[in-house]
Amino acid sequence: MESNKTGPQFLDQHRAMAGFSWSLLFTALTMIANAKYAAGLASFQPTLWSFAYATFYGDGTASNDMGGACGYGNLYTNGYGTDTAALSSTLFKNGFACGTCYQIRCIGSKACYRGYPIATVTATNLCPPNWSKDSNNGGWCNPPRTHFDMSKPAFMKIAYWKAGIVPVMYRRVPCVKKSGIRFTFQGNGYWLLAYVMNVGGGGDIAGMWVRGSRSGWIRMSHNWGASYQAFASLGGQSLSFLITSYTTKQSIIAWNVAPSNWNVGLTYQASVNFH
């Protein structure tokens, strides 16, 4: 249920409109959102191709690529697999690019595979600057350079790994997900920290709100990577979330994602996602 460019402040302000109930307003917004999805108007579209460079880190198992600046933890169990990449800070955008998806193909190098095959990767980490080295000699991720530090399995889909670094063309593509957005909870009785994963469409998040079954909408602040936090006592309440995409500015409401007996350390899956 997606409500385009609609935040909870907008919704709460209109609950008090004379002669127009909250339930009718939400029903109308939901019908509009569903119609947009049915018409395909809300789908994220691939961008144009752009130039960058790519290296790889870790080994062929990508076991060293677990964790990372986005906070996705174990990339196998959380559905990201080995086709991932760390982005230079030019692309990373202080974590707001976490979860974005890219097609990458090697160009202009003898190390490129014949036919210039494409690897599709998800951004799960940051490739930090190395100011002690020149941007063309080890400081590959120094701003303003656009660079992908790919997992070795992903890099080996486009080029021979012994090349070390290759020029590439890349573009943003929709993140295709078969199920709903997932939320992994941490925190305590007065602080909820939610790691948001399996985001479709643009893959990214600009902002989040949480609503308990006995509370109004509470804006969550960006913690780091793909995690958002609310300093509130929400125990014993079923939880709903409103998520806004960083790229498309569209919003989606995931109602009653976690039951009233939710607990930290567990993951809860919504029935909705971006496209």
Side-chain angles (χ1 to χ4, degrees), residues 253-265:
I253 299 176
W255 290 103
N256 300 317
V257 171
S260 59
N261 63 343
W262 62 266
N263 212 333
V264 297

Side-chain angles (χ1 to χ4, degrees), residues 20-240:
F20 198 77
S21 71
W22 155 250
S23 60
L24 286 176
L25 174 61
F26 178 73
T27 299
L29 290 172
T30 302
M31 290 175 64
I32 293 171
N34 289 341
K36 285 186 176 183
Y37 270 112
L41 299 178
S43 298
F44 176 77
Q45 300 299 316
T47 64
L48 299 176
W49 291 92
S50 300
F51 181 78
Y53 287 92
T55 50
F56 69 88
Y57 69 113
D59 58 22
T61 67
S63 59
N64 295 330
D65 304 343
M66 297 297 107
C70 291
Y72 293 138
N74 189 310
L75 301 179
Y76 296 129
T77 59
N78 287 323
Y80 293 98
T82 61
D83 289 341
T84 62
L87 309 183
S88 63
S89 55
T90 301
L91 290 170
F92 194 67
K93 300 175 182 176
N94 293 320
F96 287 105
C98 285
T100 51
C101 299
Y102 302 84
Q103 286 183 338
I104 302 174
R105 69 194 322 160
C106 178
I107 62 163
S109 170
K110 293 181 180 179
C112 298
Y113 289 151
R114 184 174 299 176
Y116 307 104
I118 290 173
T120 302
V121 299
T122 303
T124 60
N125 205 352
L126 167 69
C127 181
N130 184 353
W131 297 114
S132 65
K133 295 186 177 181
D134 184 85
S135 296
N136 294 312
N137 187 24
W140 313 121
C141 292
N142 295 347
R145 195 183 188 97
T146 303
H147 191 90
F148 294 87
D149 200 14
M150 304 169 67
S151 68
K152 189 174 182 179
F155 186 89
M156 290 173 65
K157 290 183 177 181
I158 63 171
Y160 294 100
W161 67 270
K162 289 186 178 180
I165 182 171
V166 293
V168 297
M169 297 297 291
Y170 77 96
R171 66 173 179 172
R172 283 273 307 275
V173 293
C175 298
V176 180
K177 306 298 181 183
K178 295 181 179 179
S179 56
I181 298 172
R182 294 200 292 266
F183 305 83
T184 297
F185 293 169
Q186 297 295 337
N188 53 46
Y190 304 97
W191 171 57
L192 174 66
L193 179 66
Y195 294 89
V196 189
M197 296 175 282
N198 203 53
V199 180
D204 50 17
I205 304 168
M208 277 181 57
W209 291 259
V210 59
R211 183 186 179 110
S213 52
R214 299 192 305 272
S215 71
W217 287 106
I218 300 169
R219 180 155 196 162
M220 305 180 76
S221 59
H222 185 219
N223 185 284
W224 60 282
S227 66
Y228 286 77
Q229 61 191 359
F231 293 92
S233 180
L234 293 166
Q237 303 182 59
S238 60
L239 302 182
S240 303

